[in-house]
Amino acid sequence: MLSRLKAFFLGQQPESDRIEVSKYNPSDIITRDVCVIGGGAAGTYAAVQLQRKGKSVVVVEKEARLGGQTTTYIDPDSNKPIEYGVTWFMDLPVVRDFFAQLGTRVTPSSFTYKLDYYDFRTGEQFPPISSAEDQRAALEKYHALMTAKYPFLRLGFYLPARVPEELLLPFGQFVRMHNMGSLLPSLGGLNFLGDWLRQPTIYVMKYLNMDFVTGLAQGFLKPENRNNSTVYDTALAKIGTNNVLLSHRVLAADRVADPMWTYLEVQEGTGENASKRLIRAQRIILAVPPLPTVLHGLDLSSQENDLFNQFQYTYCYTGVVKIPGLGSDICYVNRGSADPFAYPRVPNLFVLRPSDVPELFTVHFGSSTPLSEDQLKREIIGSIRSFRHITPEIRILGDHSPYQLRVPAEAIANGFYRDLNGLQGHRRTYYIGAAFESHNSPQIWELTAQILENELLPSLSK
């Protein structure tokens, strides 16, 4: 007991909790400069860039593939890919550079569908809330305001000591204050953020950032084969299959006992067939949602726990459905007739987006609580039947939860992101991903490159 108390006050790990390195055979120990936990957009990009800088890496990913929220369904009839996760990439230098590193050719892509609005609970069709011209004007006003007043929001959450009060306002109030109500109909995709009109404005501005607005007007990029998942297949080959542990999870970690190394116990599979290995790395990159429930195998400090426990988030589900007879040139957006902002309250299906395959649509569903697969199916089928009286065929479903990690406005004002950014290097660990930027791959990649160059790589040279 006394040794545990001493370790606590000294910020150390109790002896009984430390990993026994001696119990591992040398053949089961992986030694690398950096261990990356998480093989989504952030982790995959970090691994490729570190290797380009001459550093050895190992990636630990709990799924059987890389790519995270990039999920692709291949229609068995047409063999065409349908993205039901990450859909497009902004046309930015970091995107073109990364794709060039992977030898992936790109092609322009844009959102050109007509939008129709319905209340998916009542089946009621909504008339256009504002004209296309008014929506464009409001979007331009929003872009100009963001560019002139808040350029620091472009990358990361590096906020001034005194956060501007209007960034802490609910976004619906911010829109009214600036007379930009015509903006709302064109932002149906923001329903991924949960109740975004009542969230602090800063989170909407991070998601609907300057580059995203430019992409809405000028177009986006996709791989030439229109299959986003092949980007990560190529990345896997480039990193090397011997450097990527798919279907593995972290069991335990020791980031403090050894002055030179961090240690991670990882396991593939469960039960009697489970195999364990030990990773020894100079530095760790956490590229997963920083939640205690996600990081349960990690030796979190009280500082990490205090910050990570403040996060709230949305449950986000996606999928592909077949709706016979439904035209493929219209995007159907849910509107809530009982809400002053016409916002559909969760749980709810938000968007039915057409794909390159006739009668196949992607669905985007949000909830404040987790749903079982059966519950999700019932909700999706009921929503579609409400306004089309057609029972859809559900082809595939995906779970992108936890989505949009956020904290209340008061926490932001009190320096939450100052303290969160201050964790970089804590216990020889560096943190990347959407919680530190937004759910936009290009911005995640750009911020990751900045953290690697300015913080992680210099620490390895000391």
Side-chain angles (χ1 to χ4, degrees):
M1 180 65 179
L2 288 175
S3 65
R4 282 182 170 272
L5 287 173
K6 181 180 179 182
F8 174 80
F9 285 113
L10 292 177
Q12 298 173 343
Q13 191 168 350
E15 293 283 351
S16 60
D17 291 344
R18 293 179 182 171
I19 293 173
E20 296 180 33
V21 179
S22 60
K23 73 180 183 181
Y24 283 91
N25 293 323
S27 60
D28 291 327
I29 299 177
I30 301 170
T31 300
R32 298 288 191 274
D33 293 325
V34 181
C35 173
V36 181
I37 302 176
T44 301
Y45 181 84
V48 172
Q49 304 314 312
L50 285 168
Q51 283 190 330
R52 292 183 69 238
K53 296 290 185 178
K55 304 302 178 183
S56 60
V57 300
V58 60
V59 179
V60 180
E61 168 53 48
K62 66 181 180 67
E63 302 295 339
R65 62 177 184 86
L66 295 181
Q69 294 183 3
T70 299
T71 48
T72 308
Y73 171 75
I74 304 298
D75 173 44
D77 298 321
S78 65
N79 205 37
K80 288 185 177 181
I82 299 173
E83 304 299 337
Y84 62 106
V86 176
T87 306
W88 302 290
F89 300 93
M90 300 165 200
D91 190 353
L92 298 175
V94 68
V95 175
R96 290 185 176 272
D97 290 347
F98 186 39
F99 283 10
Q101 292 169 20
L102 300 176
T104 299
R105 297 171 63 89
V106 296
T107 187
S109 184
S110 60
F111 187 93
T112 57
Y113 308 117
K114 177 181 179 292
L115 298 176
D116 271 3
Y117 305 101
Y118 286 84
D119 185 325
F120 287 180
R121 292 204 180 277
T122 67
E124 174 188 359
Q125 184 170 14
F126 267 63
I129 301 172
S130 57
S131 68
E133 292 76 14
D134 288 344
Q135 291 182 37
R136 279 194 296 270
L139 202 59
E140 289 172 2
K141 184 177 181 180
Y142 169 82
H143 186 274
L145 180 66
M146 188 164 39
T147 304
K149 296 184 68 174
Y150 306 119
F152 56 82
L153 291 180
R154 187 188 172 275
L155 200 64
F157 282 92
Y158 299 107
L159 309 178
R162 185 172 181 177
V163 181
E165 290 185 9
E166 69 176 3
L167 290 181
L168 304 178
L169 293 175
F171 186 64
Q173 185 177 339
F174 173 85
V175 165
R176 283 176 168 171
M177 184 173 70
H178 288 281
N179 194 28
M180 294 189 298
S182 298
L183 184 70
L184 300 181
S186 60
L187 305 185
L190 286 177
N191 289 319
F192 298 133
L193 302 184
D195 197 347
W196 58 279
L197 287 166
R198 294 167 181 83
Q199 286 185 25
T201 293
I202 190 171
Y203 289 118
V204 179
M205 283 193 163
K206 286 299 299 176
Y207 192 93
L208 187 73
N209 56 55
M210 291 179 277
D211 297 318
F212 189 90
V213 173
T214 299
L216 287 175
Q218 300 179 10
F220 298 92
L221 295 176
K222 285 181 71 74
E224 196 171 56
N225 66 2
R226 304 190 68 79
N227 185 333
N228 291 346
S229 291
T230 57
V231 172
Y232 292 93
D233 296 338
T234 304
L236 173 61
K238 191 171 188 66
I239 298 167
T241 54
N242 60 317
N243 295 318
V244 179
L245 303 181
L246 298 176
S247 303
H248 279 69
R249 62 189 181 95
V250 176
L251 292 178
D254 185 346
R255 298 178 289 161
V256 297
D258 193 306
M260 293 294 295
W261 298 99
T262 63
Y263 294 90
L264 293 147
E265 283 186 324
V266 298
Q267 176 176 293
E268 180 183 21
T270 58
E272 296 180 358
N273 296 324
S275 61
K276 296 180 182 178
R277 303 180 76 177
L278 180 68
I279 296 173
R280 179 174 64 180
Q282 293 186 58
R283 299 292 183 269
I284 293 172
I285 289 178
L286 281 181
V288 295
L291 296 168
T293 52
V294 175
L295 303 173
H296 54 80
L298 209 69
D299 54 334
L300 295 179
S301 67
S302 58
Q303 185 179 355
E304 289 169 317
N305 263 315
D306 288 346
L307 288 168
F308 299 161
N309 273 312
Q310 293 183 55
F311 278 122
Q312 304 165 359
Y313 51 88
T314 298
Y315 292 87
C316 177
Y317 304 97
T318 61
V320 177
V321 300
K322 181 175 183 179
I323 309 178
L326 197 61
S328 297
D329 58 348
I330 298 175
C331 181
Y332 297 89
V333 181
N334 195 356
R335 285 286 180 254
S337 55
D339 186 84
F341 291 110
Y343 175 82
R345 293 305 182 97
V346 296
N348 225 320
L349 175 64
F350 292 125
V351 180
L352 273 176
R353 182 181 294 161
S355 72
D356 291 338
V357 180
E359 298 186 339
L360 290 187
F361 290 75
T362 59
V363 295
H364 305 272
F365 194 100
S367 176
S368 58
T369 58
L371 300 177
S372 69
E373 184 171 316
D374 286 342
Q375 287 175 315
L376 182 60
K377 287 180 178 179
R378 285 197 300 270
E379 290 278 357
I380 290 172
I381 291 171
S383 294
I384 293 172
R385 284 185 57 83
S386 74
F387 76 103
R388 273 298 175 261
H389 307 293
I390 299 171
T391 300
E393 173 194 342
I394 296 179
R395 291 287 183 89
I396 195 168
L397 294 173
D399 185 352
H400 296 273
S401 312
Y403 199 83
Q404 182 55 37
L405 271 61
R406 58 192 184 274
V407 295
E410 182 181 4
I412 301 172
N414 290 335
F416 174 85
Y417 283 102
R418 174 201 62 217
D419 297 339
L420 190 70
N421 292 327
L423 286 178
Q424 298 295 357
H426 178 68
R427 292 193 170 185
R428 289 171 285 186
T429 303
Y430 295 82
Y431 307 81
I432 59 177
F436 293 80
E437 195 353 271
S438 64
H439 283 276
N440 291 300
S441 298
Q443 278 73 26
I444 288 174
W445 294 341
E446 195 169 340
L447 181 62
T448 297
Q450 178 176 295
I451 291 171
L452 294 181
E453 193 66 32
N454 296 341
E455 303 193 54
L456 187 147
L457 288 169
S459 78
L460 285 172
S461 63
K462 294 178 180 178

